[in-house]
DNA sequence: CCATCTTTGTGCACGCGTTCACAAAGACAT
DNA sequence: ATGTCTTTGTGAACGCGTGCACAAAGATGG
């Protein structure tokens, strides 16, 4: 980022906000469920409830796509499913490779929702020679040496990285060099990629830590006086010899750590 | 939402922005790596680069925690690791249960980064009686019947749902009823929970769809004239018999779908 | 002790996203 | 055809998050 031209200058015409794009799959899922129940139309209120969002937000989101929907009635389910699918690019087939077939990679390969919507697992790739040839989720694992060939032969543009953290950047580089321009990263690392390549990361550990923060907040809200756990190591502020200059954003933090 | 009091009224004192909280784990990870390399201090510029963010943003984030850091020098690595850990609540031990020990659940149970930072897998729970007693990641799987007992006995407040979508809401309800107040949901469903319970979702399918959107955009940017795939079913606009009223947000969308 | 140099901490402005609230549009009944 | 009623689509206001740019703080050298 911040290199050369700015990431994308508000994106030409068709400026669908990123936040809206991120919600479209949610709507699509809710709509698909309605479609399977043969529900013909749905109001913004109902659909918003199903997707877990505000109805005004939903309407505004849809307004970016166009003026689908009929006032006084709602949205035609089938039609909207098609429009959103098309907008998301799910009307075409996306071959995907998964690199790193450990526990997680295997789980991803077996994940049903994968193939359901336009995505197709083109190959499973692992660095362990012992894995090569072994079938996972009905697909034979191939060795990393084949990576470039697989990408080009299948025209793969989306790659999933499920390797250990140490290997992720290297795998990423090879994927990008071979032509992949979108990466879903499960490894706990910050990947650096050239401009034009999209990276999304899924990080279990980060999600848990965010939950822990809120959990701690909740716990400390009422019984805020009793400190639970004392850490084993208690670092001392580097420069200052006394602790009296500790200043939290509020005054509510005891400026102490038992020495 | 929009029910009674608003979700949390900007959260009393100690107002650390949600966006900042979400980045703290990133900083923590980068700092831990530095710590292991015995680097004593780090500047905001360096640390920001390692975490993949803007340095001004990082400094502002830290300013919410307090005035750690020394002008002209930077931040003391060890000290900052401790401060962030404490802020995130990682200085205490969080017992966690994983419900749904399929491919994904097993992967999560085996995930190393789990135990590393304050989190401890207290139990693995599955609805399949055949799974009961089988060891996964060195822990014997327990049956769903035990769920409530496990939660209360271990004082579990964080639950991970890795069940099929159909079972997720039911499991969620039981977890909440038993005392869990933070949930990490891997099932592709919108969970509804009472106020005071936090839910974070991780959804592979959604991430892929977002990538597909950008991928399609990139592909269609230069060679924008040739349409790739024609969908099998081509829904017709519900109410109107002619298609001439189609109005995209721009004029660039051909107002047609082959009938 | 003073000058210089580095790096933090933050005031400010800007842009994006959310939400409210309402006019316009269309369905439906009479 | 006309009126009523439902629901969409959106203008406008607001709040949050980001990034710039700089003053203040402290280290370091003479």
């Amino acid at each position: 980022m911040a290199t050369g031209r700015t990431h994308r200058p508000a994106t030409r015409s068709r400026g669908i906000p990123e936040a809206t794009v991120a919600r479209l799959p949610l709507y699509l899922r809710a709509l698909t469920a309605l479609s399977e129940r043969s529900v013909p139309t749905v109001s913004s209120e109902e659909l918003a409830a199903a997707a877990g969002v505000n109805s005004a937000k939903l309407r505004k989101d849809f307004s970016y796509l166009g003026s689908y929907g009929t006032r006084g009635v709602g949205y035609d389910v089938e039609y909207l499913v098609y429009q959103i699918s098309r907008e998301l690019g799910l009307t075409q087939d996306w071959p995907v490779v998964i690199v790193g077939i450990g526990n997680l990679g295997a789980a991803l390969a077996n994940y049903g929702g994968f193939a359901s919507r336009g995505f197709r697992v083109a190959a499973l790739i692992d660095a362990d020679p012992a894995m090569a040839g072994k079938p996972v989720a009905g697909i034979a694992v191939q060795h990393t040496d084949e990576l470039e060939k697989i990408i080009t032969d299948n025209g793969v543009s989306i790659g999933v990285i499920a390797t250990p953290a140490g290997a992720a950047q290297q795998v990423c580089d090879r994927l990008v060099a071979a032509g992949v321009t979108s990466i879903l990263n499960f490894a706990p690392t910050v990947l650096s990629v050239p401009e034009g390549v999209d990276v999304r990361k899924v990080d279990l550990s980060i999600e848990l830590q965010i939950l822990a923060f809120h959990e701690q907040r909740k716990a400390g809200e009422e019984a805020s006086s009793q400190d639970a756990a004392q850490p084993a190591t208690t670092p001392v502020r580097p420069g200052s010899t006394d602790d009296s200059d500790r200043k939290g954003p509020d005054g509510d933090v005891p400026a102490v750590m038992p020495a």
Side-chain angles (χ1 to χ4, degrees), chain A:
Chain A
M1 309 300 164
T3 52
R5 93 198 79 168
T6 43
H7 178 53
R8 197 161 280 276
T11 317
R12 248 224 305 275
S13 61
R14 184 74 72 92
I16 299 182
E18 190 58 31
T20 295
V21 173
R23 279 188 295 269
L24 289 181
L26 270 174
Y27 302 146
L28 183 56
R29 181 176 291 157
L31 284 165
T32 304
L34 290 173
S35 172
E36 278 164 7
R37 286 167 40 209
S38 300
V39 177
T41 62
V42 65
S43 71
S44 64
E45 203 69 49
E46 293 168 316
L47 185 54
V53 302
N54 184 298
S55 73
K57 194 188 296 189
L58 178 141
R59 287 199 300 276
K60 179 145 290 193
D61 282 342
F62 285 175
S63 78
Y64 292 116
L65 307 185
S67 258
Y68 315 135
T70 308
R71 300 182 188 219
V73 176
Y75 299 92
D76 182 85
V77 172
E78 294 297 332
Y79 187 67
L80 203 46
V81 164
Y82 171 73
Q83 288 300 338
I84 295 180
S85 295
R86 191 177 53 81
E87 197 64 53
L88 286 172
L90 304 180
T91 52
Q92 58 186 285
D93 189 67
W94 295 104
V96 172
V97 294
I98 302 176
V99 186
I101 312 303
N103 277 300
L104 180 59
L108 296 178
N110 278 293
Y111 179 48
F114 226 120
S116 68
R117 291 230 156 270
F119 301 100
R120 178 172 51 84
V121 179
L124 305 178
I125 304 176
D126 199 281
D128 182 3
M131 288 289 293
K134 276 177 61 177
V136 172
I139 302 174
V141 175
Q142 296 178 267
H143 189 262
T144 316
D145 292 345
E146 313 288 332
L147 190 145
E148 284 77 9
K149 179 171 165 48
I150 295 168
I151 303 286
T152 41
D153 285 3
N154 294 75
V156 174
S157 55
I158 299 179
V160 177
I161 298 180
T163 66
Q169 182 64 58
Q170 194 178 345
V171 166
C172 173
D173 292 342
R174 287 181 65 183
L175 285 174
V176 171
V180 166
T181 46
S182 288
I183 292 177
L184 184 53
N185 180 31
F186 285 84
T189 323
V190 177
L191 294 180
S192 69
V193 293
E195 182 150 1
V197 176
D198 283 313
V199 175
R200 296 191 68 86
K201 73 165 182 294
V202 174
D203 196 316
L204 166 63
S205 164
I206 286 182
E207 299 299 326
L208 275 179
Q209 290 177 38
I210 295 172
L211 283 179
F213 171 84
H214 292 296
E215 199 59 39
Q216 185 188 40
R217 170 83 67 70
K218 280 183 250 175
E221 202 127 274
E222 289 124 29
S224 63
S225 53
Q226 58 219 59
D227 285 346
Q230 229 78 310
T233 60
T234 312
V236 181
R237 188 75 186 291
S240 58
T241 44
D242 65 355
D243 280 354
S244 59
D245 63 342
R246 190 66 24 74
K247 41 174 174 175
D250 291 336
D252 59 350
V253 191
V256 283
M257 289 174 299

